Amino acid sequence: EQTQTGTRFAREFSDRVRVVACLDQLPNMIYSDDPAKTISYPQWKHMRDRLGATAEDVLVVTWGGQADADMGASEIAIRGREATVGVPNETRQALANGTNGFERILPGPQRMYPDTDLPPMPLSSARIEQIRSTLPEPVWDRQARLERLGLPSDVTSKLVISPRAPLFDRLVREMNVRPMLAGEVLTRHATALCRRGFDFGALSDEEIAEVLRLNQQAELAREGIVPVLQALSRSGRMGESDGAVERVRAAMQELGFSAASGDELKTAVARVMREFDPSAMRNLDKKHDYLMGVLMKQLRGRVEGRRIAEHLDAALGAAAGV
């Protein structure tokens, strides 16, 4: 039937085949009740016999490569069913002769639609499962997991969307770094360094992991973590995975952060106790804070602050006869 001036309904099928199945060499289909001559009557009869069709049935034929021809036949069937329902939702183009034609399928509720330049490709269940297995953890699941670790909201809110999130998991799961320490380094300390003009983002995961590994092994005090990361940011070779261990060691050496032995710690505590004038400060807490400041200045990055405090408390207690 004629749908527009000089245009028959068969054009709707042809346009769908052209756009969706990519069979764009016209003509791309023929049909048995076309008033124009197409193929011979014996050829149509042969096809009717092969398909078990009667003289009342209309045959529609399209051709092309196997995949495109299959898609073309599928689109013809789909458009035929749509015609029994009503006008389909689609975008149409205005043509120079005053008529219009199919251009593309309208987006669905989620504004997604099949690519109009390529035929749909079937996805096997195995491929879908493979894709699912490589998907990252959903943000909401990651946030709940981080909250269960006891991390404060300012750390979780940044870490949940951070590209360093996989590094956090590696530090905690494989290296047994305390979640709070790993979270602080990757969020709070990272922000503080960036505000001071250091490019924390350019540090490699291996450099950060090596710094925290040395802290785990008591070769670098917690107070030395940020200074070492800061020194690495100035090195000019940050971000390279190769040589990360050597660069971290070099930064520690530059800062004088070789781990202090137990004897060195005892000697340092004994020295400040000898040099301190007991009459200058009678309040024990103030005395402790003052001496702690002196020792931290001398040993920062070489000994954990808690270890220094333990030795200092013991020395002050012994001096007071406690």
Side-chain angles (χ1 to χ4, degrees):
E1 294 185 6
Q2 183 168 299
T3 55
Q4 303 177 72
T5 302
T7 304
R8 298 176 66 84
F9 185 57
R11 173 68 179 273
E12 300 298 322
F13 292 92
S14 176
D15 283 347
R16 285 283 281 266
V17 170
R18 174 178 57 82
V19 174
V20 180
C22 302
L23 297 174
D24 51 8
Q25 294 296 316
L26 300 178
N28 57 7
M29 55 164 273
I30 56 176
Y31 53 100
S32 58
D33 63 347
D34 188 350
K37 283 189 177 291
T38 52
I39 59 178
S40 66
Y41 174 79
Q43 290 172 311
W44 282 119
K45 184 178 184 306
H46 177 69
M47 281 191 283
R48 287 184 190 279
D49 293 341
R50 290 288 301 273
L51 296 171
T54 69
E56 300 298 320
D57 296 320
V58 176
L59 302 184
V60 183
V61 180
T62 188
W63 53 86
Q66 181 68 51
D68 291 343
D70 288 346
M71 179 58 62
S74 174
E75 284 302 312
I76 290 170
I78 291 171
R79 187 63 182 88
R81 287 193 294 268
E82 289 177 348
T84 66
V85 177
V87 178
N89 291 323
E90 60 190 20
T91 299
R92 300 184 69 83
Q93 59 182 326
L95 303 175
N97 63 1
T99 63
N100 60 77
F102 173 81
E103 185 173 42
R104 65 176 181 270
I105 298 170
L106 274 180
Q110 291 77 39
R111 298 203 60 76
M112 298 294 290
Y113 52 89
D115 191 305
T116 55
D117 295 325
L118 297 172
M121 297 178 63
L123 294 177
S124 66
S125 298
R127 185 177 180 191
I128 292 173
E129 287 305 314
Q130 188 273 330
I131 293 172
R132 181 179 286 117
S133 69
T134 59
L135 289 176
E137 180 183 23
V139 172
W140 48 90
D141 288 347
R142 184 186 304 162
Q143 181 169 357
R145 178 167 59 81
L146 295 177
E147 289 172 350
R148 288 195 296 271
L149 291 174
L151 300 179
S153 59
D154 68 301
V155 173
T156 58
S157 62
K158 294 178 181 177
L159 195 57
V160 74
I161 57 174
S162 171
R164 301 280 193 184
L167 173 59
F168 172 85
D169 291 338
R170 174 185 164 196
L171 294 172
V172 173
R173 294 173 180 173
E174 298 178 18
M175 298 174 55
N176 294 319
V177 176
R178 296 187 303 279
M180 189 62 219
L181 175 59
E184 277 189 322
V185 169
L186 298 178
T187 58
R188 292 174 177 173
H189 295 332
T191 299
L193 284 171
C194 289
R195 285 174 178 168
R196 295 204 298 269
F198 297 96
D199 191 359
F200 183 88
L203 292 172
S204 72
D205 286 358
E206 294 306 317
E207 289 169 328
I208 299 171
E210 178 62 15
V211 170
L212 291 175
R213 185 188 69 80
L214 292 172
N215 171 253
Q216 283 288 94
Q217 296 182 352
E219 293 187 52
L220 175 66
R222 178 166 180 165
E223 292 77 13
I225 291 174
V226 172
V228 171
L229 292 174
Q230 185 171 301
L232 286 169
S233 298
R234 294 195 305 262
S235 69
R237 295 184 59 197
M238 57 184 175
E240 301 174 9
S241 294
D242 294 338
V245 174
E246 291 76 11
R247 287 195 300 279
V248 171
R249 292 286 185 182
M252 288 178 60
Q253 185 175 0
E254 174 190 337
L255 296 168
F257 281 179
S258 58
S261 66
D263 289 341
E264 284 183 272
L265 176 56
K266 291 178 182 178
T267 300
V269 171
R271 184 172 60 251
V272 297
M273 289 288 291
R274 287 196 307 270
E275 295 173 351
F276 175 68
D277 181 3
S279 62
M281 200 176 297
R282 298 191 178 188
N283 184 286
L284 186 60
D285 289 337
K286 290 184 177 180
K287 187 184 301 185
H288 175 278
D289 291 345
Y290 171 77
L291 292 176
M292 190 68 186
V294 174
L295 287 167
M296 286 298 296
K297 187 175 182 180
Q298 296 176 3
L299 299 171
R300 183 179 299 277
R302 303 185 63 203
V303 187
E304 292 283 357
R306 60 180 177 79
R307 287 186 59 210
I308 298 175
E310 289 170 0
H311 281 70
L312 179 59
D313 287 339
L316 288 172
V322 177

